[in-house]
PDB file of all heavy atoms in Angstrom:
ATOM      1  N   ILE A 115     -69.280-196.445  66.369  1.00 98.00           N
ATOM      2  CA  ILE A 115     -69.709-197.297  67.487  1.00 98.00           C
ATOM      3  C   ILE A 115     -69.735-196.492  68.780  1.00 98.00           C
ATOM      4  O   ILE A 115     -70.710-196.541  69.541  1.00 98.00           O
ATOM      5  CB  ILE A 115     -68.786-198.532  67.609  1.00 98.00           C
ATOM      6  CG1 ILE A 115     -69.049-199.491  66.440  1.00 98.00           C
ATOM      7  CG2 ILE A 115     -68.950-199.222  68.960  1.00 98.00           C
ATOM      8  CD1 ILE A 115     -68.026-200.611  66.306  1.00 98.00           C
ATOM      9  N   LEU A 116     -68.682-195.729  69.027  1.00 98.00           N
ATOM     10  CA  LEU A 116     -68.606-194.949  70.266  1.00 98.00           C
ATOM     11  C   LEU A 116     -69.619-193.809  70.279  1.00 98.00           C
ATOM     12  O   LEU A 116     -70.216-193.525  71.325  1.00 98.00           O
ATOM     13  CB  LEU A 116     -67.182-194.416  70.462  1.00 98.00           C
ATOM     14  CG  LEU A 116     -66.116-195.489  70.686  1.00 98.00           C
ATOM     15  CD1 LEU A 116     -64.727-194.869  70.729  1.00 98.00           C
ATOM     16  CD2 LEU A 116     -66.399-196.285  71.956  1.00 98.00           C
ATOM     17  N   GLN A 117     -69.849-193.196  69.119  1.00 98.00           N
ATOM     18  CA  GLN A 117     -70.859-192.137  69.050  1.00 98.00           C
ATOM     19  C   GLN A 117     -72.254-192.711  69.298  1.00 98.00           C
ATOM     20  O   GLN A 117     -73.072-192.093  69.991  1.00 98.00           O
ATOM     21  CB  GLN A 117     -70.797-191.406  67.701  1.00 98.00           C
ATOM     22  CG  GLN A 117     -69.633-190.452  67.600  1.00 98.00           C
ATOM     23  CD  GLN A 117     -69.680-189.365  68.666  1.00 98.00           C
ATOM     24  OE1 GLN A 117     -70.680-188.681  68.841  1.00 98.00           O
ATOM     25  NE2 GLN A 117     -68.595-189.225  69.411  1.00 98.00           N
ATOM     26  N   PHE A 118     -72.521-193.895  68.746  1.00 98.00           N
ATOM     27  CA  PHE A 118     -73.814-194.536  68.984  1.00 98.00           C
ATOM     28  C   PHE A 118     -73.975-194.848  70.475  1.00 98.00           C
ATOM     29  O   PHE A 118     -75.039-194.602  71.063  1.00 98.00           O
ATOM     30  CB  PHE A 118     -73.943-195.808  68.139  1.00 98.00           C
ATOM     31  CG  PHE A 118     -75.289-196.469  68.248  1.00 98.00           C
ATOM     32  CD1 PHE A 118     -76.399-195.942  67.595  1.00 98.00           C
ATOM     33  CD2 PHE A 118     -75.459-197.617  69.010  1.00 98.00           C
ATOM     34  CE1 PHE A 118     -77.652-196.538  67.703  1.00 98.00           C
ATOM     35  CE2 PHE A 118     -76.703-198.226  69.120  1.00 98.00           C
ATOM     36  CZ  PHE A 118     -77.799-197.687  68.463  1.00 98.00           C
ATOM     37  N   ALA A 119     -72.917-195.369  71.094  1.00 98.00           N
ATOM     38  CA  ALA A 119     -72.978-195.694  72.529  1.00 98.00           C
ATOM     39  C   ALA A 119     -73.202-194.452  73.376  1.00 98.00           C
ATOM     40  O   ALA A 119     -74.015-194.472  74.316  1.00 98.00           O
ATOM     41  CB  ALA A 119     -71.689-196.407  72.959  1.00 98.00           C
ATOM     42  N   THR A 120     -72.518-193.368  73.053  1.00 97.00           N
ATOM     43  CA  THR A 120     -72.701-192.147  73.845  1.00 97.00           C
ATOM     44  C   THR A 120     -74.070-191.516  73.596  1.00 97.00           C
ATOM     45  O   THR A 120     -74.696-191.019  74.525  1.00 97.00           O
ATOM     46  CB  THR A 120     -71.569-191.120  73.602  1.00 97.00           C
ATOM     47  OG1 THR A 120     -71.496-190.793  72.226  1.00 97.00           O
ATOM     48  CG2 THR A 120     -70.228-191.654  74.079  1.00 97.00           C
ATOM     49  N   THR A 121     -74.543-191.582  72.363  1.00 98.00           N
ATOM     50  CA  THR A 121     -75.882-191.066  72.053  1.00 98.00           C
ATOM     51  C   THR A 121     -76.932-191.884  72.803  1.00 98.00           C
ATOM     52  O   THR A 121     -77.863-191.328  73.399  1.00 98.00           O
ATOM     53  CB  THR A 121     -76.143-191.102  70.536  1.00 98.00           C
ATOM     54  OG1 THR A 121     -75.185-190.260  69.885  1.00 98.00           O
ATOM     55  CG2 THR A 121     -77.547-190.638  70.195  1.00 98.00           C
ATOM     56  N   LEU A 122     -76.787-193.189  72.787  1.00 98.00           N
ATOM     57  CA  LEU A 122     -77.703-194.077  73.501  1.00 98.00           C
ATOM     58  C   LEU A 122     -77.722-193.747  74.996  1.00 98.00           C
ATOM     59  O   LEU A 122     -78.780-193.691  75.622  1.00 98.00           O
ATOM     60  CB  LEU A 122     -77.281-195.530  73.268  1.00 98.00           C
ATOM     61  CG  LEU A 122     -78.193-196.628  73.772  1.00 98.00           C
ATOM     62  CD1 LEU A 122     -79.515-196.633  73.010  1.00 98.00           C
ATOM     63  CD2 LEU A 122     -77.502-197.978  73.616  1.00 98.00           C
ATOM     64  N   THR A 123     -76.537-193.504  75.546  1.00 97.00           N
ATOM     65  CA  THR A 123     -76.427-193.163  76.967  1.00 97.00           C
ATOM     66  C   THR A 123     -77.065-191.804  77.244  1.00 97.00           C
ATOM     67  O   THR A 123     -77.861-191.664  78.181  1.00 97.00           O
ATOM     68  CB  THR A 123     -74.950-193.167  77.405  1.00 97.00           C
ATOM     69  OG1 THR A 123     -74.376-194.440  77.105  1.00 97.00           O
ATOM     70  CG2 THR A 123     -74.817-192.904  78.897  1.00 97.00           C
ATOM     71  N   ASN A 124     -76.720-190.813  76.427  1.00 96.00           N
ATOM     72  CA  ASN A 124     -77.259-189.463  76.618  1.00 96.00           C
ATOM     73  C   ASN A 124     -78.771-189.425  76.495  1.00 96.00           C
ATOM     74  O   ASN A 124     -79.440-188.696  77.231  1.00 96.00           O
ATOM     75  CB  ASN A 124     -76.655-188.486  75.604  1.00 96.00           C
ATOM     76  CG  ASN A 124     -75.219-188.160  75.897  1.00 96.00           C
ATOM     77  OD1 ASN A 124     -74.738-188.299  77.009  1.00 96.00           O
ATOM     78  ND2 ASN A 124     -74.502-187.726  74.869  1.00 96.00           N
ATOM     79  N   LYS A 125     -79.305-190.210  75.560  1.00 97.00           N
ATOM     80  CA  LYS A 125     -80.753-190.197  75.311  1.00 97.00           C
ATOM     81  C   LYS A 125     -81.493-191.254  76.128  1.00 97.00           C
ATOM     82  O   LYS A 125     -82.691-191.464  75.925  1.00 97.00           O
ATOM     83  CB  LYS A 125     -81.035-190.400  73.820  1.00 97.00           C
ATOM     84  CG  LYS A 125     -80.583-189.235  72.957  1.00 97.00           C
ATOM     85  CD  LYS A 125     -80.980-189.463  71.500  1.00 97.00           C
ATOM     86  CE  LYS A 125     -80.692-188.257  70.639  1.00 97.00           C
ATOM     87  NZ  LYS A 125     -81.172-188.461  69.241  1.00 97.00           N
ATOM     88  N   ARG A 126     -80.771-191.934  77.018  1.00 96.00           N
ATOM     89  CA  ARG A 126     -81.358-192.970  77.883  1.00 96.00           C
ATOM     90  C   ARG A 126     -82.128-194.013  77.085  1.00 96.00           C
ATOM     91  O   ARG A 126     -83.211-194.435  77.471  1.00 96.00           O
ATOM     92  CB  ARG A 126     -82.243-192.338  78.942  1.00 96.00           C
ATOM     93  CG  ARG A 126     -81.477-191.461  79.885  1.00 96.00           C
ATOM     94  CD  ARG A 126     -82.351-190.971  80.999  1.00 96.00           C
ATOM     95  NE  ARG A 126     -81.816-189.711  81.455  1.00 96.00           N
ATOM     96  CZ  ARG A 126     -82.522-188.770  82.020  1.00 96.00           C
ATOM     97  NH1 ARG A 126     -83.800-188.930  82.225  1.00 96.00           N
ATOM     98  NH2 ARG A 126     -81.959-187.655  82.405  1.00 96.00           N
ATOM     99  N   GLY A 127     -81.545-194.379  75.946  1.00 96.00           N
ATOM    100  CA  GLY A 127     -82.133-195.419  75.113  1.00 96.00           C
ATOM    101  C   GLY A 127     -83.116-194.932  74.072  1.00 96.00           C
ATOM    102  O   GLY A 127     -83.459-195.676  73.157  1.00 96.00           O
ATOM    103  N   SER A 128     -83.572-193.714  74.190  1.00 98.00           N
ATOM    104  CA  SER A 128     -84.592-193.194  73.270  1.00 98.00           C
ATOM    105  C   SER A 128     -83.956-192.582  72.013  1.00 98.00           C
ATOM    106  O   SER A 128     -84.093-191.389  71.741  1.00 98.00           O
ATOM    107  CB  SER A 128     -85.467-192.156  73.976  1.00 98.00           C
ATOM    108  OG  SER A 128     -86.191-192.769  75.015  1.00 98.00           O
TER     109      SER A 128
END
Side-chain angles (χ1 to χ4, degrees):
I115 289 169
L116 295 174
Q117 284 300 308
F118 184 76
T120 57
T121 298
L122 188 66
T123 304
N124 288 338
K125 292 184 173 184
R126 296 186 207 153
S128 295

